[in-house]
Every structure is written in structure tokens, then in C-alpha cells.
Amino acid sequence: MEENHDMNGISYRKATAADWNQIANLLQDANLPLEGAQAHLEHFVVAIKDEALIGCAGLEIYGEYALLRSVAVEAGVRGQGLGIKLIEEILKRAKEDHLRTIILLTETAQNFFPKFGFRQIKREDAPTPVKESIEFREACPASAVAMQLDL
């Protein structure tokens, strides 16, 4: 993905290995699981402002399916639409990669994701390859809501 900028001087680009420590800090601050994230770093998008990493979103890709995970925004810039922009960027990438279905698990944002077309599903109805991910098996509690978007 090319780096692109929005009107607020924020740029969005593919994550690199050098971004991991900052991504890990963002995830910890947002109480999101780290397990499995680093292994899928090549499918993360980061938001950069003034050379600081202020947001991230990631995909774990399993064939034509993907798990959307690790959507996090630095506390000081929450509420400004950055999470929406990160999800738009990651979904655009998913379409370019010809993915068919995006699944996510959330404990706090089930009212946020329908605006992108996600709908709630039963956890057991998620595609088998996604259910075998660390996020599904271990990292996210059983109380997390599963949602699906068909691209």
C-alpha cells in the first residue's frame, strides 16, 4: 500500500517490523491482545502524524478469509475519526487482495462496526480457518461478539 495522507496531516502506510514496539504499546494501552499480532504485521496498516505512530489496524489472512484485529488509536487522538479511517484503509486493502469475508471479535465496539457493513454472527459460524487463529482460540474471551463482513 502506498502511503497516503489525509487533510489532518496523518499518513497511512503498511506496517514494518520497526513499528512493532509502538504497535504493541498501542494494543496494550487499548487492552487488546498481543498474541499473534506480530506474526501478521505485514497485514497491518498504521497511522502516522509528525513521525509518531498514532493508530493501527491489522488483518490475519486465511485464504479468502481474514480476521480484522488490533484496531487501536492513541488515547490523545480518540474521537476524531481515526479509527474509521484505519478501518476504511484496511478494508480497501482487503478488497484489493480479493478477500471474500472479514471476521472480527469485539467486546466493546459491536455498535461501531455495522456502519462498515459488519453484522453479528454466532462465533461458531465463523469460517473454520479463522476459528483456528490464536485470537479466536485463546486471546479473545468467550464473551466477545463475532461479526462478519462479506466483501
Side-chain angles (χ1 to χ4, degrees), residues 5-111:
H5 298 265
D6 69 14
M7 294 178 301
N8 300 316
I10 298 171
S11 62
Y12 301 87
R13 63 165 172 78
K14 189 174 179 177
T16 67
D19 296 324
W20 172 245
N21 288 340
Q22 290 175 286
I23 290 171
N25 288 338
L26 269 182
L27 297 180
Q28 288 173 320
D29 289 347
N31 294 314
L32 293 172
L34 292 180
E35 296 92 340
Q38 193 169 10
H40 296 274
L41 204 56
E42 67 187 289
H43 303 294
F44 272 63
V45 171
V46 294
I48 308 290
K49 182 166 187 173
D50 300 327
E51 298 182 29
L53 195 151
I54 59 170
C56 63
L59 292 176
E60 291 186 21
I61 296 178
Y62 301 95
E64 61 189 357
Y65 306 109
L67 179 68
L68 174 63
R69 63 166 298 160
S70 306
V71 180
V73 173
E74 187 179 274
V77 293
R78 290 188 188 139
Q80 299 174 27
L82 185 57
I84 292 169
K85 187 69 174 146
L86 281 161
I87 293 166
E88 289 171 351
E89 288 284 330
I90 206 91
L91 292 179
K92 183 174 85 177
R93 182 180 174 85
K95 288 175 186 165
E96 289 168 358
D97 289 345
H98 306 292
L99 298 177
R100 197 177 86 181
T101 302
I102 310 292
I103 303 292
L104 63 84
L105 292 170
T106 182
E107 287 192 274
T108 58
Q110 59 266 35
N111 296 324

Side-chain angles (χ1 to χ4, degrees), residues 121-138:
I121 61 167
K122 291 182 181 146
R123 202 165 163 143
E124 60 268 22
D125 290 342
T128 300
V130 173
K131 284 194 291 197
E132 292 171 358
S133 70
I134 290 176
E135 183 112 336
F136 252 79
R137 287 186 293 117
E138 300 170 20

